[in-house]
Amino acid sequence: MGGGRRQVPCHLHLCSSPPLGVKLFLPPSLSDTRALTHVGGVCCEHLCCWNHVHTPPGSIRQAPTMRGCSSRTKQNQGKAVCMTNCPTLIVTVGLPARGKTYISKKLTRYLNWIGVPTREFNVGQYRRDFVKIYKSFEFFRPDNEEGLKIRQQCASAALNDVRQYLTEDGGQVAVFDATNTTRERRETIVQFAEQNGFKVFFVESVCEDPDVIQENIVQVKLCSPDYTNCNTDEAVEDFMQRIKCYENSYETLDEVLDRDLSYIKIIDVGQRYLVNRVLDHIQSRIVYYLMNIHITPRSIYLCRHGESELNVKGRIGGDSGLTARGKQFAKKLGQFIQTQSIVDLKVWTSQMKRTIQTAEALGVPYEQWKALNEIDAGVCEEMMYEEIQEGYPLEFALRDQDKYRYRYPKGESYEDLVQRLEPVIMELERQENVLVICHQAVMRCLLAYFLDKTAEELPYLKCPLHTVLKLTPVAYGCKVESISLNVDAVNTHREKPENVDVTRMSEEALITVPAHH
Amino acid sequence: MALTLNSSSGPNGLTQTPLLKIWVPWMGFNLNRRRGSSVPQFCNSPTVIVMVGLPARGKTYISKKMTRYLNWIGVPTKVFNVGQYRREAVKTYKNFEFFKPDNEEAMRIRKACASAALKDVALYFSKENGQVAVFDATNTTRERRAVINSFAKERGYKVFFVESICDDPEIIAENIKQVKFGSPDYIDRDIDEAMEDFNKRIDCYKTSYMPIDDEKDRKLSYIKIFDVGSRYLVNRVRDHIQSRIVYYLMNIHVTPRSIYLSRHGESELNLLGRIGGDSSLSPRGQKYASALASFIRGQRIKDLKAWTSHMKRTIQTAEALGVQYEQWKALNEIDAGVCEELTYEEIQENFPEEFALRDQDKYRYRYPKGESYEDLVHRLEPVIMELERQENVLVICHQAVMRCLLAYFLDKPASELPYLRCPLHTVLKLTPVAYGCKVESFYLNIEAVNTHRERPKNVNTNRNPDEALQTVPDHV
């Protein structure tokens, strides 16, 4: 131990291919297998890294701290022993038009954003792929034996894909989106999970408010492939009949009968929650998230600060003030906000001068979040790209190789930023109309969350100065309107150059640097 | 609300407050009208958290813990324990008969105590800048809860009920053992007597106990905790602070366990009296790492998790343990910004005013381009939340970080936090017991420099260098 410690890029991210440029410390020799099985060196804020056992290739997944994850203590045959970090199967439960798919997609988006590989498996989709044309609700009648057989097959096919995703494709969480309204069906899923060593967490949505159900149907069912050729009234009528097909056999999660299961029951779109046996960190986070989201219509406005002094000089980071054009933008932003006539708008800024100056021009109260500060470029703060290339050519190349995970020396990575921004996202979910005045990297992270962009795309999202993005949740996603306030500004967007090799020439590195003074 | 564009104070005039390093508009005369706030406002109207439940259901445990947590994250919170008011009104507790529902005189006293407590709640909010008050009493009847609700509504306070429901006789017996026997009510009693009396006391409440009704009370905001957390019912969470409280309550547990806090072994920069940086362990530091490993082995801890920061010195320390550990960036030492890797002497020479400001308010002071202890606490909140979820954990961290974590567990206020003693080469073992935390300190007998700088007498910006450097510990 001791000497020979070197700072190397992180190779222990089991959730993705080895990223470079993340500064972690590892023991001297990576080829030392003792080091590989006993060393912790994993980035911990990533839920998928909790208690990860880094296993050398070819060996069985054994760990000193291995223990079962089920709250039951029976020792059944044919049950895989799962480690403290077993994959999780989230199972939705509820009648049609109760928001299961909305919740599935939103939850999946959130988990992926915070770094937990998650995928949803919508059984309805499997059914649509199998039964090319949907005729009518009669398909769902409980006495339609052929229909039942097909639906069962689709559920099995979906579970098979779940197994593949969680055991072979590096998935950590799978969301099994279907009605799952009978105890029998749920029991099948529980057994499937036990056999494969997955934890199960049920998310049931219960709602009897006819207005909410109607609104659901209008928002998402009418444009479903099932109803492309129907008029609105026909579609609504058919869908209502469809719901009826499930009602008679619906067995809601029961406080007594299902007391050993882990679940959350969401009642009346979040009025009330029943939470049973939360087993681990990821379930706790899921519950917290589900309890904070709402469906009240609202819009989120994202923009950067006005153009700053360092922007025009082509320098990154720092804490400079606005240029004259930046101030103009701030003024126009104030006017824009007024014309939008937004109800109860909250305004958030970072704690850096340029966002605060921008907010000041609005003449309304605003709140400063340190968490919204721009990415810390460490030793590269206030440098131009040309200077970074000259002073730190290796770092510059590593950054281009994996811009998401790359951490500036003594600074941060986009990945760190996401971690930092999670409480902001959580509060954005709770709030209604909000204007967030932030910075380029920060805005990219927030945008990626709302628009479900991957880690690869995130650091290259276009967030130009003097442009407001208005995000409005609609159906299962987010409508984006881009509003340029017509004040000129420098371009600060640097595309990924073709050559990202550490051996590249300066010109190749600097080819995509935007123009500046 | 009408938006007015105030063109006179254009985006020109911003100034950075010297202590907190917060940018504010340069309107010296009306700092009160400042439109920005340095931290997001979590709650606007004050909130009264009302505990509900039979005796020995953990209400006081929850009250105290939640209060500790809220204060630590910066929300001024206070517990108002009605039993305490009763003990002050009725000097000596005779027996359970005091609590019989037909004991009219006692009823009067108990009602008066509840009112007195509510009055103090109002004072706490209006005069002492309190944000959250925890009203800790049984509150087992609808009538009593209605009184509290009206009291709150009249004054514009929000109300959030926390009901603890438990019928497991073992848990209740354990509760009674842990906290009731040490209560002033039972101080001179024999254990069996006390147990019997307390059980009779519980019976007094049982007949009139009306739990929060999911139908009749559906407009109230509340959380019901069943069987020490195996199930929860959450109704109408109305704002951010209630959401945080619910999240916190759903993550705590009562399973016995211990948390071990330690700093990294002595580092090269420690020896040189330099702050921050990312240096390696010194030879003595490495010795400590081995000693720590032996110590941990000797403790025979079940399923110990080990956590470190992303900095070399904590990782080197963990390496010697030979067990899996996890790195948290959130556990990194406080960022001293422009003062990174400087000695105190150099800070005094180059940034004398900053040095003085720091001594004036060490908790809130933010290094230029760096952090404050207050920032640290926000950074560490997810660590605390996960510590609450976990069982046996060893956290290898840094001086400022350890002070923050320790302050959470030992309920130290912001003024004391930055001066808590966290010497090198010493492990603190924290074990929750009754309403608090037992601390055992283990010095592993490996010498190290002292890195603790006490607050000097003179914190004025015009002080001379000797006065500033008076309390700097020795170094190379």
Side-chain angles (χ1 to χ4, degrees), chain B residues 206-450:
Chain B
K206 271 194 178 155
T207 40
S208 57
Y209 179 24
M210 283 175 276
I212 296 178
D213 188 291
D214 295 331
E215 251 315 297
K216 297 195 208 136
D217 296 318
R218 66 184 175 283
K219 293 244 158 71
L220 299 180
S221 297
Y222 62 86
I223 178 172
K224 277 193 195 180
I225 306 172
F226 296 92
D227 298 325
V228 204
S230 93
R231 195 164 90 245
Y232 304 91
L233 204 157
V234 181
N235 198 64
R236 289 192 189 267
V237 168
R238 292 205 196 274
D239 63 11
H240 179 109
I241 192 77
Q242 291 179 15
S243 163
R244 292 285 285 275
I245 288 166
V246 164
Y247 185 42
Y248 182 71
L249 291 177
M250 288 175 54
N251 281 318
I252 59 179
H253 66 77
V254 293
T255 312
R257 50 83 170 252
S258 289
I259 294 168
Y260 296 78
L261 299 182
S262 161
R263 289 168 68 186
H264 52 82
E266 183 191 69
S267 73
E268 308 281 2
L269 286 181
N270 283 148
L271 279 176
L272 298 172
R274 295 183 174 282
I275 66 173
D278 196 9
S279 58
S280 297
L281 296 182
S282 69
R284 297 197 296 197
Q286 290 177 29
K287 280 216 191 76
Y288 173 70
S290 311
L292 181 63
S294 311
F295 170 76
I296 291 296
R297 270 192 298 269
Q299 288 278 302
R300 300 196 176 290
I301 308 154
K302 187 170 92 93
D303 286 332
L304 179 73
K305 300 262 165 76
W307 296 353
T308 70
S309 69
H310 275 193
M311 298 182 136
K312 218 193 253 182
R313 49 200 190 279
T314 56
I315 295 169
Q316 281 179 316
T317 310
E319 275 292 312
L321 295 175
V323 297
Q324 268 214 302
Y325 58 90
E326 295 174 13
Q327 301 181 16
W328 289 73
K329 188 169 195 277
L331 284 171
N332 279 6
E333 181 58 314
I334 191 171
D335 183 356
V338 301
C339 298
E340 276 284 317
E341 303 201 36
L342 298 185
T343 60
Y344 289 118
E345 291 83 351
E346 288 165 356
I347 300 177
Q348 168 59 28
E349 191 174 327
N350 295 298
F351 308 98
E353 189 179 322
E354 293 292 329
F355 203 36
L357 283 175
R358 184 159 208 253
D359 284 334
Q360 288 175 21
D361 190 345
K362 196 174 176 190
Y363 183 73
R364 281 169 205 83
Y365 171 81
R366 188 185 279 171
Y367 281 105
K369 301 197 180 178
E371 295 176 304
S372 62
Y373 271 93
E374 191 170 34
D375 294 329
L376 249 195
V377 161
H378 280 114
R379 206 195 330 131
L380 287 168
E381 202 264 348
V383 177
I384 286 293
M385 197 62 88
E386 191 56 25
L387 274 173
E388 285 295 345
R389 289 197 55 81
Q390 292 289 341
E391 294 183 17
N392 293 315
V393 187
L394 162 66
V395 184
I396 302 171
C397 53
H398 306 266
Q399 183 167 247
V401 169
M402 187 161 158
R403 284 170 170 157
C404 292
L405 298 178
L406 199 57
Y408 168 75
F409 288 108
L410 303 186
D411 203 16
K412 298 294 183 185
S415 49
E416 293 179 49
L417 186 162
Y419 296 101
L420 292 175
R421 279 194 185 281
C422 295
L424 287 165
H425 299 187
T426 307
V427 184
L428 290 184
K429 177 178 177 178
L430 305 166
T431 312
V433 75
Y435 295 137
C437 226
K438 178 172 84 167
V439 198
E440 294 164 79
S441 170
F442 299 94
Y443 171 60
L444 298 193
N445 266 322
I446 308 227
E447 281 202 35
V449 292
N450 172 28

Side-chain angles (χ1 to χ4, degrees), chain A residues 1-3 5 7 22-27 34 37-45 49-54 63-65 67 84 255 259 263 270-282 284-285 287-288 291-292 319 322 327 330-331 334-335 337-338 344 351-354 356-358 360-370 373 376 382 407 410-413 416 423 427 430-431, chain B residues 1-6 9-14 16 20-25 27 34-42 213-215 217-218 222 226 229-241 243-244 246-247 250-251 277-278 280 286 302-305 307 310-312 315-316 319-320 322-332 335 341 366 369-372 375 382 386 389-391:
Chain A
M1 285 307 137
R5 190 140 283 279
Q7 190 174 38
V22 176
K23 311 288 185 291
L24 286 189
F25 291 96
L26 298 176
R34 187 209 76 94
T37 50
H38 291 270
V39 158
V42 288
C43 318
C44 181
E45 276 87 337
C49 291
W50 281 105
N51 301 318
H52 253 174
V53 177
H54 187 77
T65 55
R67 62 179 184 207
T84 53
E255 257 175 46
R259 65 182 171 285
Y263 65 83
Q271 207 84 280
R272 176 180 295 184
Y273 303 93
L274 234 149
V275 181
N276 200 61
R277 290 194 187 275
V278 169
L279 290 180
D280 62 10
H281 179 107
I282 186 85
S284 163
R285 292 284 284 274
V287 165
Y288 185 42
M291 287 175 54
N292 280 318
D319 195 10
L322 300 180
K327 290 174 190 164
K331 204 153 144 222
Q335 289 161 354
I337 292 298
Q338 269 203 323
D344 285 333
Q351 288 189 344
M352 298 182 135
K353 207 194 220 168
R354 48 200 189 279
I356 295 167
Q357 275 182 312
T358 310
E360 275 292 315
L362 301 178
V364 297
Y366 57 89
E367 292 179 14
Q368 300 182 15
W369 288 74
K370 188 169 194 281
N373 279 7
D376 183 355
E382 304 201 35
R407 191 184 279 168
K410 300 197 179 177
E412 293 176 304
S413 62
D416 294 329
E427 191 54 24
R430 289 197 55 80
Q431 293 288 340
Chain B
M1 65 180 278
L3 298 178
T4 45
L5 289 177
N6 188 344
S9 78
N12 274 323
L14 280 193
Q16 196 174 43
L20 296 176
K21 309 294 189 298
I22 300 287
W23 288 104
V24 295
M27 347 188 231
R34 199 160 56 102
R35 280 167 298 200
S37 59
S38 61
V39 284
Q41 302 300 296
F42 289 149
D213 188 291
D214 295 331
E215 251 315 297
D217 296 318
R218 66 184 175 283
Y222 62 86
F226 296 92
S230 93
R231 195 164 90 245
Y232 304 91
L233 204 157
V234 181
N235 198 64
R236 289 192 189 267
V237 168
R238 292 205 196 274
D239 63 11
H240 179 109
I241 192 77
S243 163
R244 292 285 285 275
V246 164
Y247 185 42
M250 288 175 54
N251 281 318
D278 196 9
S280 297
Q286 290 177 29
K302 187 170 92 93
D303 286 332
L304 179 73
K305 300 262 165 76
W307 296 353
H310 275 193
M311 298 182 136
K312 218 193 253 182
I315 295 169
Q316 281 179 316
E319 275 292 312
V323 297
Q324 268 214 302
Y325 58 90
E326 295 174 13
Q327 301 181 16
W328 289 73
K329 188 169 195 277
L331 284 171
N332 279 6
D335 183 356
E341 303 201 36
R366 188 185 279 171
K369 301 197 180 178
E371 295 176 304
S372 62
D375 294 329
E386 191 56 25
R389 289 197 55 81
Q390 292 289 341
E391 294 183 17

Side-chain angles (χ1 to χ4, degrees), chain B residues 80-246:
Chain B
F80 295 82
N81 177 292
V82 176
Q84 204 43 50
Y85 284 73
R86 188 259 307 158
R87 272 183 277 276
E88 275 159 36
V90 181
K91 299 298 175 196
T92 329
Y93 171 75
K94 284 204 203 79
N95 62 28
F96 76 95
E97 308 241 340
F98 183 84
F99 292 96
K100 282 176 75 164
D102 53 7
N103 184 341
E104 284 197 22
E105 194 194 323
M107 273 299 186
R108 244 188 325 210
I109 296 175
R110 288 160 69 193
K111 224 177 231 174
C113 288
S115 301
L118 283 179
K119 242 200 209 107
D120 284 350
V121 164
L123 271 174
Y124 178 61
F125 288 149
S126 54
K127 301 272 190 296
E128 293 173 51
N129 284 318
Q131 257 318 118
V132 176
V134 184
F135 191 71
D136 178 17
T138 49
N139 299 315
T140 38
T141 61
R142 300 182 61 75
E143 183 207 352
R144 171 58 60 83
R145 297 197 289 269
V147 165
I148 301 171
N149 226 357
S150 341
F151 162 86
K153 268 212 165 57
E154 280 162 31
R155 292 166 181 73
Y157 308 152
K158 288 189 179 159
V159 182
F160 189 72
F161 292 93
V162 177
E163 181 169 24
S164 173
I165 296 170
C166 180
D167 291 312
D168 183 336
E170 274 181 38
I171 297 180
I172 296 165
E174 183 61 28
N175 262 6
I176 299 178
K177 269 196 227 125
Q178 277 240 354
V179 297
K180 302 299 176 189
F181 294 157
S183 147
D185 290 345
Y186 293 107
I187 215 149
D188 295 317
R189 304 294 163 87
D190 140 74
I191 288 189
D192 290 324
E193 238 183 76
M195 181 68 104
E196 200 188 317
D197 184 275
F198 200 82
N199 275 313
K200 290 216 183 86
R201 201 153 120 179
I202 298 178
D203 288 336
C204 293
Y205 283 91
K206 271 194 178 155
T207 40
S208 57
Y209 179 24
M210 283 175 276
I212 296 178
D213 188 291
D214 295 331
E215 251 315 297
K216 297 195 208 136
D217 296 318
R218 66 184 175 283
K219 293 244 158 71
L220 299 180
S221 297
Y222 62 86
I223 178 172
K224 277 193 195 180
I225 306 172
F226 296 92
D227 298 325
V228 204
S230 93
R231 195 164 90 245
Y232 304 91
L233 204 157
V234 181
N235 198 64
R236 289 192 189 267
V237 168
R238 292 205 196 274
D239 63 11
H240 179 109
I241 192 77
Q242 291 179 15
S243 163
R244 292 285 285 275
I245 288 166
V246 164

